[in-house]
Amino acid sequence: VHVMEILHKVADENLHKRFNPTFPKINKFYEGLEDEYIAKHIRPFIEKTIYTCVDYLVEKSIPLYFKGEASERIQESPLVLHSELAETCFHFERLPDQTHYHLEVRQAGKDISLYQKDAILLTHLPCLLLLGNRLMRFEAEWDGKKLLPFFEKEFLVVPKSAEKQFYLKFVQKSILHHPFKAYGFDVALIDAEPQALLRMEEHWQGGVVLGLYFKYADGTLFRQDDPLKEKIRFFEKNDDIGFEKVVRNTAFENSIVALLKSLALNKVDGPYFSLFSASNIALNNSAYSIDKQIISTVDWFNDHHDLLSSKDIVCERHIFNKTYHSGMYSLSLKTEEKNDWFDLYGTVKFGEVEVPFAYLADNILAGNREYTLPGGAIALIPAQWMSRYQDILKFSHKKGKNLQLKKFHFSLLKEVQELGLSIPGFHKGSIEETHSIPSRLNATLRSYQQEGFNWMMFLKKNNMGGCLADDMGLGKTLQALTILVHAHLEEDNVTAHAASNTKMTASQLKILLDKENSFDNTSTQGSNCSLIVMPLSLVHNWIQEANRFAPQLRVFQHTGSNRPTKAESFNDYDLVLTTYGTIRNDIDMLEKYLFRYIILDESQIIKNASSRIFSAIRKLHAEHRLALTGTPIENSLTDLWSQFSFINPGMLGSLNFFKNEFVTPIEKKNDEIVSDKLQKLIEPFILRRTKGQVAKELPPMLEKIHYCEMTPEQESYYETKKSEIRNAIVQSLHEKGPDKARFFILSGLTKLRLIANHPAIIDKDYAHDSGKFIEVQRSIDNLMSENHKVLIFSQFVKYLNLFAGEFQQQNLPYSLLTGKIAEKNRQQVVEGFQDDELNRLFLISLRAGGLGLNLTQADYVFMLDPWWNPAIEKQAINRAHRIGQDKNVFVYKFITRNTVEEKILKLQQKKSDLAGLFINDNNPLKSLSIEELNDLI
């Protein structure tokens, strides 16, 4: 049945439907067809159908009989149908004057002669040949017409004159596709392993791909996806002719394909491979842009260079008129230590091409990985170099083919050293080196103070400045006096300094000024003198400490209206004590003097880079610089920049650079990587120890938050004012915009904080109580009955005055310290509290009493209102909890519930982490957004 179904396809009615259905009559179907159309379309269809039918008969062992002519009798014996195909082999014999060509046919292992055998060619392509009672099938590609000449002749003769065309057209095609035997000429077989080629190419959809090709010994090139398995080439030399036949080494080619797939390449269409999927090749967005595809592809070449080379794979990296270098790259770095900087020598090798590392600086800083080599090829700077060396390059300066890096940036080189590169360290001691305490110091240093002195000696030997940022009360003044005693009383050159009256020549001074990157001022003179700058309230304390610990130092107080107007007056002294305000006023005189040391006490005072004080401090000249502060960061990281621009000018770059590189990423984006980078950069130059770390002998300190409920009248007053303030803020935002409304918001917040303390502070007509005021007064009454001494801090003087009035009514002795108390009278106020057993209450404004006071007689500290900056609160607490305290210290922070004060506590915790990573807590209010400020309301 199936045979009939196959044959029914060539019935006249089906042929009519298939090839000429528009012709009206089936019996006239063939009359409307051209002979050429029949030969080209209908006959091939019929022949393929017959061949298919014979295949089925052979497969199912169905007998087939030959009918012959109409008049002949049907044979009783079936035709022989062989299961295997007939085999052919071309024989070409080249003789001196002609070429003989015949065809060998074999069936079932036996030679079959076609010559004069009455052979019938049933179908041409595919070929069916009836030879006697045999029906022979040939391979599907075999054209039966090639058999026809050998029905009448045993072989064909090609004359010498037609030889070349015969070999070029017929022989070359025959030996490419069929078995053959050659005599009188050579057919060289090339089947060795080819060379694989990977080419960067533009995909037809627009993306970047790698085309895979295979090049054989004779130069024949195959695309990886080429369906041809062989190629043949004719050659002629003198009278010799021949062929080279290349047979593809499919096993080798497949191994290369498997290798590329194992290296994360995707097979796409044609001979192409890609790092990207087929669906992403044509995309031109930021993730799959042409530039990124090129860079990723060249990186792939570089990453696998050794493996590809070991497989002898040729990599061609030319695309879009650019040639990319691929191969081994290396970087060698070395440094040479100079006076105040390192010379950094570096050589980069891209293969055999050497380039000074400094030449790559602009590319690395700009994030541009493409660097054009001298020969025109483009080398891709390794991606890891862009981050690894960017910090070094940001802070270095080009000098010809080399780089120069200031010595205070040595921590950047240390980071590189950890990556295995040979970078020398300092040759002038280390931070860990221990130094003998000066014999003329009248003090025994604690272990951490000895470490502080060692650290300052390290900085001094290497001509670098530092910031001593110990907690309040740990003896920063004593540590500073130790280095000053060493510098002025025990240095080897002190005699020479004194003998020459230490007046420096213009040339000596110019060298020192050049070292500071300062301008050349030949009128400047130098002295053995050091300058200590401080708030006015600390001058007396420095005089006392110097007399106590270093009585041999000659100290001069440069303050007041009768201070000298010429710097020569300093030559007879070791230390000159002055204030920030005096520096600002006397800078024209002071900037012409070169000091041995300049030490800034409470150095956070210069935090405002736009202030006159900061500008004046920057103009001073010194061989060595130190900053002392317990709170280097009060408001923002820019506070840190201001102080470092004094101790190590240029170390943190310009202010704009510092803001862009550090402040914005850290404060606005919480970038931990940048934060860690800044920490490592400043770490060698800032020494910070907390009381909890080093002052183990201090008695415990207990901090407690004491929550207070508002009275009903106070709560009603607070809510009314809060609604008024909120409505006014909304209107201000609408009319003035966020920037101008910020100050209005802060004013509203301050008013709410005052009400949380006591509404009477802002409203003299308020005649009711305050919950917090009642709680504080009750706590004070209890402590007074137990003879404790209490420090009472508030940032609002009017609030302190309310308590002062209450103490007066109760006849309780007290002390009061605010900004209105003259500096010269402050010590008397302090001593009145410290020395008077009956005076047990000290009211102190937070700002006026935050610095320089030693109030260890108190064992209780009351913080009446939370300040934006927790560091300021810590300063206040440290007035009592410091070296010399022998009692437990109890700290109470009074917070009014359901007010802005509770939100400030949360804000402190949320925002204080930033500066805590570096030094101390910061002012969270400084960087608040409008949304965060509104949330406080």
Short mmCIF file of all heavy atoms in Angstrom, two decimals, residues 710-718 721 755 757-771 773-774 802:
data_model
loop_
_atom_site.label_atom_id
_atom_site.label_comp_id
_atom_site.label_asym_id
_atom_site.label_seq_id
_atom_site.Cartn_x
_atom_site.Cartn_y
_atom_site.Cartn_z
N MET A 710 5.93 66.17 80.37
CA MET A 710 5.49 67.56 80.42
C MET A 710 4.27 67.70 81.33
O MET A 710 3.45 66.77 81.45
CB MET A 710 5.14 68.05 79.00
CG MET A 710 6.34 68.26 78.09
SD MET A 710 5.91 69.02 76.50
CE MET A 710 5.17 67.61 75.65
N THR A 711 4.17 68.84 81.93
CA THR A 711 2.93 69.14 82.64
C THR A 711 1.83 69.36 81.61
O THR A 711 2.10 69.66 80.44
CB THR A 711 3.09 70.41 83.50
OG1 THR A 711 3.33 71.52 82.63
CG2 THR A 711 4.24 70.26 84.49
N PRO A 712 0.57 69.20 82.00
CA PRO A 712 -0.53 69.40 81.02
C PRO A 712 -0.48 70.77 80.35
O PRO A 712 -0.70 70.89 79.14
CB PRO A 712 -1.79 69.23 81.87
CG PRO A 712 -1.37 68.34 83.00
CD PRO A 712 0.05 68.72 83.30
N GLU A 713 -0.19 71.81 81.13
CA GLU A 713 -0.13 73.15 80.57
C GLU A 713 1.04 73.28 79.57
O GLU A 713 0.91 73.89 78.50
CB GLU A 713 0.02 74.20 81.68
CG GLU A 713 -1.14 74.29 82.65
CD GLU A 713 -1.05 73.24 83.75
OE1 GLU A 713 -0.03 72.48 83.77
OE2 GLU A 713 -1.95 73.17 84.59
N GLN A 714 2.18 72.66 79.94
CA GLN A 714 3.34 72.72 79.05
C GLN A 714 3.07 71.95 77.76
O GLN A 714 3.43 72.41 76.67
CB GLN A 714 4.57 72.12 79.78
CG GLN A 714 5.86 72.17 78.95
CD GLN A 714 7.00 71.46 79.65
OE1 GLN A 714 6.79 70.73 80.63
NE2 GLN A 714 8.20 71.69 79.17
N GLU A 715 2.43 70.79 77.88
CA GLU A 715 2.15 69.97 76.70
C GLU A 715 1.21 70.71 75.75
O GLU A 715 1.41 70.71 74.53
CB GLU A 715 1.54 68.64 77.11
CG GLU A 715 1.27 67.71 75.94
CD GLU A 715 0.77 66.35 76.38
OE1 GLU A 715 0.47 66.18 77.58
OE2 GLU A 715 0.70 65.45 75.52
N SER A 716 0.18 71.36 76.31
CA SER A 716 -0.76 72.11 75.47
C SER A 716 -0.03 73.26 74.77
O SER A 716 -0.24 73.51 73.57
CB SER A 716 -1.89 72.65 76.34
OG SER A 716 -2.75 73.49 75.58
N TYR A 717 0.83 73.93 75.51
CA TYR A 717 1.59 75.05 74.94
C TYR A 717 2.51 74.54 73.82
O TYR A 717 2.61 75.16 72.75
CB TYR A 717 2.41 75.70 76.05
CG TYR A 717 3.06 77.01 75.67
CD1 TYR A 717 2.41 78.22 75.87
CD2 TYR A 717 4.33 77.04 75.09
CE1 TYR A 717 3.00 79.44 75.52
CE2 TYR A 717 4.93 78.22 74.72
CZ TYR A 717 4.26 79.42 74.95
OH TYR A 717 4.86 80.60 74.59
N TYR A 718 3.16 73.41 74.06
CA TYR A 718 4.10 72.84 73.07
C TYR A 718 3.38 72.46 71.78
O TYR A 718 3.84 72.79 70.67
CB TYR A 718 4.78 71.61 73.67
CG TYR A 718 5.81 70.96 72.76
CD1 TYR A 718 7.15 71.34 72.80
CD2 TYR A 718 5.45 69.97 71.85
CE1 TYR A 718 8.09 70.76 71.97
CE2 TYR A 718 6.38 69.39 71.01
CZ TYR A 718 7.71 69.79 71.07
OH TYR A 718 8.64 69.21 70.24
N LYS A 721 2.34 75.57 69.74
CA LYS A 721 3.47 76.19 69.05
C LYS A 721 3.99 75.31 67.92
O LYS A 721 4.42 75.80 66.87
CB LYS A 721 4.59 76.48 70.05
CG LYS A 721 4.25 77.58 71.06
CD LYS A 721 3.99 78.91 70.35
CE LYS A 721 3.67 80.02 71.34
NZ LYS A 721 3.36 81.30 70.66
N ILE A 755 10.97 75.28 74.60
CA ILE A 755 9.69 74.97 75.25
C ILE A 755 9.78 73.64 75.98
O ILE A 755 9.20 73.46 77.06
CB ILE A 755 8.55 74.96 74.23
CG1 ILE A 755 8.40 76.35 73.59
CG2 ILE A 755 7.24 74.53 74.86
CD1 ILE A 755 7.43 76.39 72.42
N ASN A 757 12.29 72.55 77.46
CA ASN A 757 12.96 72.83 78.73
C ASN A 757 11.99 73.55 79.68
O ASN A 757 11.71 73.08 80.78
CB ASN A 757 14.19 73.70 78.50
CG ASN A 757 15.38 72.90 78.03
OD1 ASN A 757 15.50 71.73 78.32
ND2 ASN A 757 16.25 73.54 77.28
N HIS A 758 11.50 74.70 79.26
CA HIS A 758 10.54 75.47 80.07
C HIS A 758 9.97 76.58 79.19
O HIS A 758 10.72 77.42 78.66
CB HIS A 758 11.26 76.08 81.28
CG HIS A 758 10.33 76.44 82.40
ND1 HIS A 758 9.20 77.21 82.23
CD2 HIS A 758 10.36 76.12 83.72
CE1 HIS A 758 8.58 77.35 83.37
NE2 HIS A 758 9.26 76.69 84.32
N PRO A 759 8.67 76.62 79.00
CA PRO A 759 8.07 77.66 78.15
C PRO A 759 8.38 79.07 78.61
O PRO A 759 8.36 80.01 77.80
CB PRO A 759 6.56 77.36 78.24
CG PRO A 759 6.49 75.91 78.55
CD PRO A 759 7.67 75.63 79.45
N ALA A 760 8.68 79.23 79.91
CA ALA A 760 8.95 80.58 80.44
C ALA A 760 10.19 81.19 79.81
O ALA A 760 10.39 82.41 79.89
CB ALA A 760 9.09 80.52 81.96
N ILE A 761 11.05 80.37 79.21
CA ILE A 761 12.26 80.90 78.59
C ILE A 761 11.92 81.83 77.44
O ILE A 761 12.59 82.84 77.21
CB ILE A 761 13.18 79.75 78.10
CG1 ILE A 761 13.58 78.85 79.27
CG2 ILE A 761 14.41 80.29 77.39
CD1 ILE A 761 14.36 77.62 78.84
N ILE A 762 10.85 81.50 76.68
CA ILE A 762 10.49 82.31 75.52
C ILE A 762 9.23 83.14 75.77
O ILE A 762 8.90 84.02 74.97
CB ILE A 762 10.29 81.44 74.26
CG1 ILE A 762 9.10 80.50 74.42
CG2 ILE A 762 11.55 80.67 73.93
CD1 ILE A 762 8.69 79.82 73.14
N ASP A 763 8.49 82.83 76.84
CA ASP A 763 7.22 83.53 77.08
C ASP A 763 7.17 83.96 78.55
O ASP A 763 6.92 83.14 79.44
CB ASP A 763 6.05 82.59 76.75
CG ASP A 763 4.71 83.29 76.81
OD1 ASP A 763 4.67 84.46 77.26
OD2 ASP A 763 3.71 82.67 76.40
N LYS A 764 7.42 85.23 78.80
CA LYS A 764 7.46 85.73 80.19
C LYS A 764 6.08 85.68 80.84
O LYS A 764 5.96 85.75 82.07
CB LYS A 764 8.00 87.15 80.22
CG LYS A 764 7.14 88.17 79.47
CD LYS A 764 7.77 89.56 79.52
CE LYS A 764 6.90 90.57 78.76
NZ LYS A 764 7.48 91.94 78.83
N ASP A 765 5.02 85.55 80.05
CA ASP A 765 3.67 85.48 80.59
C ASP A 765 3.25 84.06 80.96
O ASP A 765 2.16 83.86 81.51
CB ASP A 765 2.66 86.05 79.58
CG ASP A 765 2.89 87.53 79.32
OD1 ASP A 765 3.33 88.23 80.25
OD2 ASP A 765 2.65 87.97 78.17
N TYR A 766 4.10 83.08 80.62
CA TYR A 766 3.77 81.69 80.97
C TYR A 766 3.91 81.54 82.49
O TYR A 766 4.98 81.75 83.06
CB TYR A 766 4.71 80.73 80.24
CG TYR A 766 4.44 79.27 80.53
CD1 TYR A 766 3.44 78.59 79.83
CD2 TYR A 766 5.17 78.58 81.49
CE1 TYR A 766 3.18 77.25 80.09
CE2 TYR A 766 4.92 77.23 81.75
CZ TYR A 766 3.92 76.57 81.04
OH TYR A 766 3.68 75.24 81.30
N ALA A 767 2.84 81.15 83.16
CA ALA A 767 2.81 81.14 84.64
C ALA A 767 2.68 79.73 85.20
O ALA A 767 2.25 79.56 86.35
CB ALA A 767 1.66 82.02 85.14
N HIS A 768 3.07 78.71 84.38
CA HIS A 768 2.89 77.32 84.85
C HIS A 768 4.27 76.66 84.97
O HIS A 768 5.31 77.24 84.66
CB HIS A 768 2.01 76.55 83.87
CG HIS A 768 0.68 77.20 83.64
ND1 HIS A 768 -0.34 77.16 84.55
CD2 HIS A 768 0.23 77.94 82.57
CE1 HIS A 768 -1.39 77.83 84.08
NE2 HIS A 768 -1.07 78.31 82.87
N ASP A 769 4.24 75.40 85.39
CA ASP A 769 5.47 74.66 85.63
C ASP A 769 5.95 73.97 84.34
O ASP A 769 5.23 73.88 83.34
CB ASP A 769 5.26 73.60 86.72
CG ASP A 769 5.15 74.22 88.10
OD1 ASP A 769 5.81 75.25 88.31
OD2 ASP A 769 4.41 73.68 88.94
N SER A 770 7.18 73.47 84.43
CA SER A 770 7.78 72.63 83.39
C SER A 770 8.11 71.28 84.01
O SER A 770 8.70 71.21 85.10
CB SER A 770 9.04 73.28 82.83
OG SER A 770 9.89 72.33 82.26
N GLY A 771 7.73 70.22 83.31
CA GLY A 771 8.01 68.88 83.85
C GLY A 771 9.50 68.64 84.06
O GLY A 771 9.91 68.10 85.09
N PHE A 773 11.88 70.91 84.46
CA PHE A 773 12.41 71.78 85.51
C PHE A 773 12.13 71.19 86.89
O PHE A 773 13.00 71.21 87.78
CB PHE A 773 11.77 73.17 85.38
CG PHE A 773 12.42 74.22 86.24
CD1 PHE A 773 13.56 74.87 85.83
CD2 PHE A 773 11.87 74.53 87.48
CE1 PHE A 773 14.16 75.83 86.62
CE2 PHE A 773 12.46 75.49 88.30
CZ PHE A 773 13.61 76.15 87.86
N ILE A 774 10.94 70.64 87.05
CA ILE A 774 10.58 70.02 88.33
C ILE A 774 11.47 68.82 88.62
O ILE A 774 11.98 68.65 89.74
CB ILE A 774 9.10 69.61 88.33
CG1 ILE A 774 8.20 70.85 88.24
CG2 ILE A 774 8.75 68.78 89.56
CD1 ILE A 774 6.73 70.53 88.02
N LEU A 802 17.19 80.52 85.04
CA LEU A 802 16.02 80.08 85.81
C LEU A 802 16.44 79.29 87.05
O LEU A 802 15.89 79.47 88.14
CB LEU A 802 15.10 79.23 84.94
CG LEU A 802 14.30 79.94 83.83
CD1 LEU A 802 13.44 78.93 83.07
CD2 LEU A 802 13.42 81.03 84.42
#
